[in-house]
Amino acid sequence: MNIGILGLGTVGGGVVNVLNKNKATIFAHTNEEINIIHVAVKNLSEARICPNDGLNITEDAFAVVNNPAVDVVLELIGGTRIAKDLIKQAIKNNKHVITANKALIANFGNELLSLAKSHNVYLLFEAAVAGGVPILKSLEQGLSANEIEWIAGIINGTGNFILSEMNDKNANFSDALKQAQDLGYAEADPTFDVEGIDAAHKLAILSSMAFGCELQFEQITTEGIGKIASEDVAFAAELGFVIKHLAVAKYADGKIESHVQPTLIPKTRLLANVDGVMNAVLIKGNAVGTTLYYGAGAGAETTASAVIANLVDIIKGTISDDILGWKSLKPMPICDTDNVCSIFYLRLLVADKPGVLANITATLAEYDISVEQVMQKQVDAQNNSPIVIVTNKVKTVTLNKAITQIQTHNFSQEKIKIIPIETLD
Ligand code: HSE
């Protein structure tokens, strides 16, 4: 099997190293040699994490996808411009393509998958979600007897690292982000990590796999972790919760609810204990119940592990015809944010006057919102006091109406903080 590699950075270099290091083991699976016959890089003189010797390297990436001797192209450049043109060209040349490019699949997967199908080749992307964790394969094969009810994942290592540092070490946001960047986990544009865009790319892919729908990245509600204050982390802990940047997709009544947002989860759940740059995805199937998949979500050899697993499947011919893109993917209605039901954490800062708490709970009651927990903290120098409330399950639109009403009172000293809670039952 002759392969061409586009990009010899972290992931590409990792692929070369793992193919060298585990040559015999990989051969035992494929019974066929894997030859890297053509490699494209942006800059020939750049330092690399893998040896260059023996590699046929060019700066002309199109020479690789147009090389008639290349059977499979590994697109490991990233980004959505040149990478897209290269993948299209490779497919048009009837080559299978393997990519780790979540942004590209989330944004253009529908078009690229249908192009691949029309050329009778595979476009595979296990490495695009949760690095080396074989999550797409698990959904496609191991859970094939299940209707998937929901998925909840921590699928951005950088965001999880920042929240873990804030949680465990009282770190501030920018120091933790800088550390994640230095460790090579963050995206080229780190707003993709902290604003939840990277996690939304991955959630779009997971949802398609789980529910058999088109990739619908644009419709995912995405909220970043920038709004999380250290008080929220501390109050959540007192109430028995941990704040995670959670990506959730649920299927109910023919609609999908999908969002990436800071979320409180009970401390006792396994997901609450996924710390640092680690990723984890919890999946509820209607036969199997909940299953959890955990591992490093980024890194050279971690991601290479998933890329090479796809390559091995192509060589062994073990890809089933119902992989994503070969079955017909339909758009599926997305539940609009107003209609999403959740339990909520509310943090208010109120003037310390008699009747304030009664007024707040009366307004919530007016909207049929019940209070499950309430916690009032010491009055500060300005005679204001923080109040934290956990509601029962309520529609977002109803909660927002009650909150708007509470905020009209002059006892309300700042914008009320609202964070959803997922119990993951
Ligand atoms: N920036 C991503 C993360 C890298 O932090 O998870 C892996 O996709």
Side-chain angles (χ1 to χ4, degrees):
M1 179 64 67
N2 292 332
I3 66 168
I5 302 182
L6 306 176
L8 218 47
T10 305
V11 183
V15 166
V16 173
N17 286 338
V18 175
L19 284 173
N20 287 335
K21 167 166 120 174
N22 294 342
K23 197 176 168 69
T25 305
I26 294 166
F27 183 82
H29 286 287
T30 57
N31 208 22
E32 197 173 322
E33 292 288 345
I34 296 169
N35 309 307
I36 305 171
I37 64 161
H38 215 166
V39 178
V41 298
K42 199 167 169 190
N43 181 350
L44 280 171
S45 54
E46 226 163 68
R48 319 213 170 273
I49 61 166
C50 64
N52 276 347
D53 44 309
L55 293 176
N56 171 19
I57 308 187
T58 170
E59 286 184 358
D60 178 6
F62 281 93
V64 176
V65 297
N66 288 326
N67 181 338
V70 167
D71 302 307
V72 182
V73 171
L74 275 45
E75 183 280 303
L76 307 171
I77 296 176
T80 49
R81 291 168 64 190
I82 177 100
K84 184 182 177 202
D85 295 339
L86 288 163
I87 288 181
K88 282 173 89 169
Q89 188 62 36
I91 292 171
K92 285 178 185 161
N93 288 337
N94 301 315
K95 299 179 194 306
H96 300 297
V97 175
I98 298 168
T99 178
N101 193 332
K102 58 246 160 157
L104 187 69
I105 297 298
N107 283 290
F108 303 106
N110 297 322
E111 171 192 345
L112 295 172
L113 285 162
S114 105
L115 184 69
K117 186 176 181 184
S118 69
H119 284 265
N120 218 26
V121 294
Y122 296 121
L123 171 59
L124 304 178
F125 39 85
E126 180 65 70
V129 183
V133 182
I135 188 67
L136 303 185
K137 202 185 252 275
S138 299
L139 274 167
E140 189 187 298
Q141 294 177 5
L143 298 176
S144 57
N146 289 264
E147 297 276 336
I148 303 299
E149 295 178 4
W150 53 259
I151 296 173
I154 295 169
I155 47 180
N156 181 269
T158 302
N160 199 41
F161 180 82
I162 293 170
L163 288 178
S164 302
E165 293 286 296
M166 288 174 78
N167 230 329
D168 305 338
K169 300 181 194 155
N170 269 335
N172 74 37
F173 183 87
S174 39
D175 287 349
L177 171 60
K178 166 90 176 49
Q179 220 181 322
Q181 284 175 305
D182 291 346
L183 290 166
Y185 289 111
E187 295 301 301
D189 177 355
T191 59
F192 273 41
D193 297 298
V194 297
E195 294 302 329
I197 299 161
D198 176 74
H201 288 148
K202 295 165 182 167
L203 185 64
I205 298 172
L206 282 171
S207 295
S208 279
M209 279 286 178
F211 308 122
C213 60
E214 279 185 347
L215 290 137
Q216 305 186 110
F217 161 68
E218 300 283 348
Q219 295 178 60
I220 296 176
T221 306
T222 306
E223 201 183 328
I225 53 175
K227 76 167 195 181
I228 299 302
S230 48
E231 295 105 288
D232 296 314
V233 173
F235 290 147
E238 261 190 76
L239 293 165
F241 296 98
V242 176
I243 303 179
K244 291 290 181 191
H245 206 187
L246 203 66
V248 173
K250 297 181 188 173
Y251 178 80
D253 306 325
K255 283 191 180 170
I256 298 177
E257 174 191 322
S258 71
H259 36 78
V260 176
Q261 54 197 3
T263 305
L264 271 71
I265 56 180
K267 259 183 199 167
T268 48
R269 296 279 179 266
L270 286 172
L271 267 193
N273 298 293
V274 172
D275 287 329
V277 291
M278 299 308 278
N279 282 199
V281 183
L282 190 64
I283 300 180
K284 171 97 184 279
N286 70 346
V288 71
T290 50
T291 53
L292 180 68
Y293 307 83
Y294 171 88
E301 295 199 2
T302 306
T303 312
S305 164
V307 170
I308 296 169
N310 276 158
L311 181 61
V312 168
D313 280 343
I314 289 176
I315 299 172
K316 285 168 77 177
T318 50
I319 297 163
S320 74
D321 273 359
D322 71 337
I323 61 149
L324 201 61
W326 284 75
K327 51 192 172 197
S328 49
L329 300 172
K330 297 176 197 69
M332 207 170 271
I334 301 270
C335 180
D336 80 72
T337 319
D338 277 355
N339 289 320
V340 169
C341 283
S342 182
I343 302 171
F344 289 96
Y345 157 103
L346 312 175
R347 177 165 60 83
L348 306 86
L349 185 69
V350 296
D352 182 39
K353 288 193 295 199
V356 167
L357 191 55
N359 192 315
I360 295 166
T361 51
T363 307
L364 292 174
E366 214 179 293
Y367 287 89
D368 208 20
I369 301 169
S370 172
V371 171
E372 300 291 318
Q373 291 194 64
V374 63
M375 188 165 80
Q376 177 158 13
K377 290 292 177 185
Q378 227 171 340
V379 174
D380 65 17
Q382 287 74 44
N383 215 27
N384 294 326
S385 164
I387 293 180
V388 176
I389 292 174
V390 174
T391 70
N392 69 338
K393 200 164 195 176
V394 54
K395 249 190 198 177
T396 306
V397 64
T398 310
L399 180 86
N400 285 340
K401 282 182 189 159
I403 295 296
T404 307
Q405 192 166 318
I406 292 168
Q407 282 185 156
T408 58
H409 293 287
N410 60 8
F411 62 71
S412 184
Q413 300 295 301
E414 64 179 30
K415 196 166 181 285
I416 297 172
K417 178 72 73 69
I418 308 170
I419 309 177
I421 298 177
E422 286 284 350
T423 53
L424 305 170
D425 295 319

